Amino acid sequence: MSGKRHILNIESANQAARSPVLSGAFTLVELLTVLAIIGILAAISVPAIKNFGKSDVSVSASRQLLDDIGRARQLAMSQRTTVYMVFVPTNFFNLAGGSTIFQSPSSILKTLQQWNTASNVLGMQLAGYTFMAYGALGDQPGNHQWHYLASSWQALPAGAYIAPWKFYNQFNPGKSFNFSDPVNAGAWFSVNSFTYTNTFPFPTEDATNGVYLPYIAFNYLGQLCNYSGQLLLNANQGQDFDQDYAGGGVDIPIAQGSVLYYRDLTSHALQVGSPQVTEMPPGNSTNLAYNVVHVDPLTGRATLEYHKIQ
């Protein structure tokens, strides 16, 4: 009897070896639990990832603007002349009398290159800029010419732009934009609008002038200056006060969000028109969390002033 039981046990063991062991598999309840946990983690992490991306855009834009302001300053010193950092406002294409620079025949755009460049600048409103100088090393004495000191117009990264209110008061230079500190309601700040001129050749150095464009300027010592190259000391010279109660200099507020440029509904080509500007989150250029690039008048050096509600 004992031998017979031994044979049966061996057969049972062989059968078990041939059959797959299912003891390590997940049940439906366990799978659903894991999926639920993954969904909760995704819901928590996605907003944080989005905010990280927005913060990264703001940091990149600030870094780029700081570097290029430094570049304008270095160009002024190396070229021994006044260098203008010229920005792209909205509606730059409008002329007196209701016409635009794109109406044919144009009083501004004379060549195909000028047409193409101006068309590209349509997509840089609030975010574009370049460097110019009247006279540079190599010009003949008494025969100074306008020079573009960059190969093309540049723009801040997508998702970042200069706050629209920095471009307000085009025909009222020195007008300030006031807002209160969101943490200390008793503290008010004043950031003046850009100064404008219509003396720059636009959009290339061989073009005529007539388009009103905002700018900041650096003299041959690398200091902030007015259009004539005189040291920028106060707002009576048509430039910007500091963001504080005292001092001087230039403040350029950086906003984050979207700038939707006017496009043809069929071809999606850029068209003449004002862009639709949306700050995300709303108010981030004034009362939520804002970045201001400040340029010191005496040294011409730029620093980033960052404020965020605690």
Side-chain angles (χ1 to χ4, degrees):
M1 292 295 293
S2 60
K4 186 177 181 179
R5 286 197 299 270
H6 180 68
I7 294 172
L8 290 175
N9 288 338
I10 293 175
E11 290 178 351
S12 299
N14 291 336
Q15 185 178 2
R18 292 192 299 267
S19 302
V21 179
L22 302 177
S23 59
F26 293 107
T27 66
L28 179 60
V29 174
E30 290 173 330
L31 289 173
L32 291 176
T33 302
V34 172
L35 291 175
I37 294 173
I38 293 174
I40 293 172
L41 292 175
I44 295 173
S45 61
V46 166
I49 293 173
K50 287 183 178 179
N51 290 333
F52 176 79
K54 292 177 180 178
S55 176
D56 186 58
V57 167
S58 181
V59 170
S60 297
S62 301
R63 183 74 266 166
Q64 178 178 325
L65 196 57
L66 288 170
D67 290 344
D68 283 337
I69 289 173
R71 180 186 177 190
R73 178 176 177 271
Q74 291 296 326
L75 285 170
M77 291 188 291
S78 64
Q79 297 289 327
R80 306 293 294 176
T81 188
T82 300
V83 169
Y84 306 89
M85 190 172 182
V86 183
F87 299 88
V88 182
T90 59
N91 301 322
F92 66 88
F93 40 78
N94 288 335
L95 297 174
S99 62
T100 74
I101 63 174
F102 291 100
Q103 289 182 328
S104 184
S106 175
S107 60
I108 301 294
L109 308 178
K110 304 296 185 181
T111 67
L112 181 60
Q113 180 186 5
Q114 293 170 7
W115 277 88
N116 291 337
T117 303
S119 298
N120 291 335
V121 174
L122 279 173
M124 298 183 185
Q125 296 174 69
L126 301 181
Y129 56 89
T130 193
F131 312 99
M132 301 185 194
Y134 183 68
L137 293 178
D139 283 355
Q140 296 296 322
N143 187 25
H144 289 239
Q145 304 291 329
W146 279 105
H147 298 274
Y148 273 57
L149 304 179
S151 59
S152 62
W153 289 79
Q154 303 172 61
L156 296 176
Y161 52 92
I162 299 173
W165 48 267
K166 180 64 179 178
F167 296 87
Y168 290 172
N169 306 301
Q170 173 178 346
F171 300 107
N172 189 11
K175 182 67 176 179
S176 63
F177 182 91
N178 300 316
F179 59 96
S180 63
D181 187 319
V183 176
N184 181 7
W188 286 81
F189 297 93
S190 177
V191 176
N192 286 17
S193 61
F194 279 121
T195 297
Y196 281 73
T197 183
N198 65 345
T199 60
F200 299 131
F202 178 84
T204 57
E205 63 185 29
D206 59 344
T208 58
N209 54 32
V211 175
Y212 278 90
L213 297 172
Y215 68 94
I216 62 174
F218 297 87
N219 63 21
Y220 71 98
L221 295 175
Q223 302 168 320
L224 276 178
C225 65
N226 63 10
Y227 183 85
S228 301
Q230 299 172 338
L231 180 64
L232 185 65
L233 295 176
N234 54 62
N236 293 329
Q237 291 178 298
Q239 282 283 2
D240 304 341
F241 266 164
D242 189 5
Q243 187 186 336
D244 210 339
Y245 294 108
V250 168
D251 290 315
I252 304 177
I254 299 177
Q256 61 184 35
S258 62
V259 181
L260 302 179
Y261 300 107
Y262 188 67
R263 294 180 180 273
D264 183 87
L265 294 178
T266 303
S267 66
H268 302 290
L270 288 169
Q271 299 291 309
V272 174
S274 300
Q276 179 181 346
V277 183
T278 305
E279 288 190 4
M280 294 183 296
N284 68 73
S285 70
T286 53
N287 59 9
L288 185 62
Y290 52 87
N291 293 330
V292 175
V293 172
H294 172 69
V295 188
D296 182 83
L298 292 177
T299 66
R301 298 185 184 278
T303 55
L304 180 64
E305 298 178 354
Y306 177 69
H307 190 105
K308 184 177 182 180
I309 296 178
Q310 301 297 324

